[in-house]
Amino acid sequence: MIAYFGKSIIQKVVTLFFVSVVSFLIIHLAPGEPSQIDPLNPKFTPEMVARMRTEFNLDKPLHVQYLLFYKNLFTGRIVSWRDNLPVLGKIWERFLNSLPLFVVGTILTWTFSFPVGIRSAIMRDGVYDKSATFLAYLLISIPGFFFAYILIILTVTKLHVPVIGMQTFGVTSASPLVQIMDRTWHLVLPSILGATGGVAVLSRYVRSQMLEIIGQDYVRTARAKGLSSETVYYKHALRNALLPFVTMFGLILPGLIGGSVIIESIFSWPGMGRLAYEAILGRDYPVILTLNFITAVLVLAGTLISDLLYMVVDPRIKL
């Protein structure tokens, strides 16, 4: 097991190195010079461009820029080109804003997907299965921004409460309990919106995987032995149906960084998705590269977690 961990970590470090090189090259191969942040501004003189290129090491060879960038990144000295603030500090602040949205949305998605998908598979072609299938495809088909506006209109007109932003204006002067309740309320709609599409898609995967497992010989043998339906479906079939979802579970970690640009924009939620979108529009390459690097780390960490979870789900799998 220790040898496996050592080999896996070495492979992931090598992969991370190539990801960092490729992402760095793609950024510099994009049209335009990185220093052309606001070329239409008359105050943006050639002297200012030259000073900026020197300050951010843009006048050095590409491989030197690469080494200096990641050196500054690992030492925490990399700064944003837009406001000259530390990049890691900006990312950490937005990360704390996106974390509750991500956690609640993920919990809702995985909590409702499996019961809906399993019951649809057990009651195949029944009223429940057809209703769940129709609702799932309906939620998949409705654009997220349209569904968000419907939720906002219904909530504001019926309940007469604010839903935009992370908190109500002026609530900072209220008691801590009121602030917590207000923050929780503002978290409800974005989390539900983020979970609806996930529940619709994931429940379909659960249904198809359960249907495949239910048709196996060992499931029919378990039924022939007289085992209860709950034991057959939830102990024998479900455990074997979980293997594909272990991989999916490990790959949800990048969602901590990616966020949702549409949801965060509609609800004015200052999260990671909006930060990445604003950095791309503003050509803030230090922020873009840092987010890309952290995302790659989370993807590789997620694959390692998936490998470990395979042992829990299926003891036959040996590292």
Side-chain angles (χ1 to χ4, degrees), residues 102-125:
F102 169 81
V103 171
V104 175
T106 302
I107 291 175
L108 291 175
T109 300
W110 288 78
T111 299
F112 288 99
S113 297
F114 279 88
V116 172
I118 293 171
R119 186 170 177 83
S120 294
I122 295 175
M123 304 180 66
R124 182 180 183 181
D125 295 331

Side-chain angles (χ1 to χ4, degrees), residues 8-30:
S8 178
I9 290 175
I10 292 174
Q11 290 176 344
K12 286 173 172 51
V13 169
V14 174
T15 303
L16 188 62
F17 168 73
F18 283 106
V19 169
S20 67
V21 171
V22 171
S23 61
F24 191 84
L25 291 176
I26 289 176
I27 288 294
H28 284 77
L29 288 175

Side-chain angles (χ1 to χ4, degrees), residues 78-90:
I78 194 72
V79 296
S80 170
W81 289 1
R82 296 187 64 185
D83 48 25
N84 209 35
L85 293 176
V87 171
L88 295 180
K90 294 179 62 174

Side-chain angles (χ1 to χ4, degrees), residues 130-169:
K130 293 180 179 179
S131 301
T133 301
F134 172 78
L135 184 59
Y137 286 125
L138 179 65
L139 292 176
I140 294 172
S141 303
I142 296 178
F145 65 89
F146 179 74
F147 192 32
Y149 284 125
I150 293 177
L151 291 177
I152 292 174
I153 291 173
L154 292 177
T155 304
V156 174
T157 56
K158 298 298 182 181
L159 301 179
H160 305 288
V161 292
V163 295
I164 302 300
M166 293 182 59
Q167 61 184 12
T168 305
F169 179 76

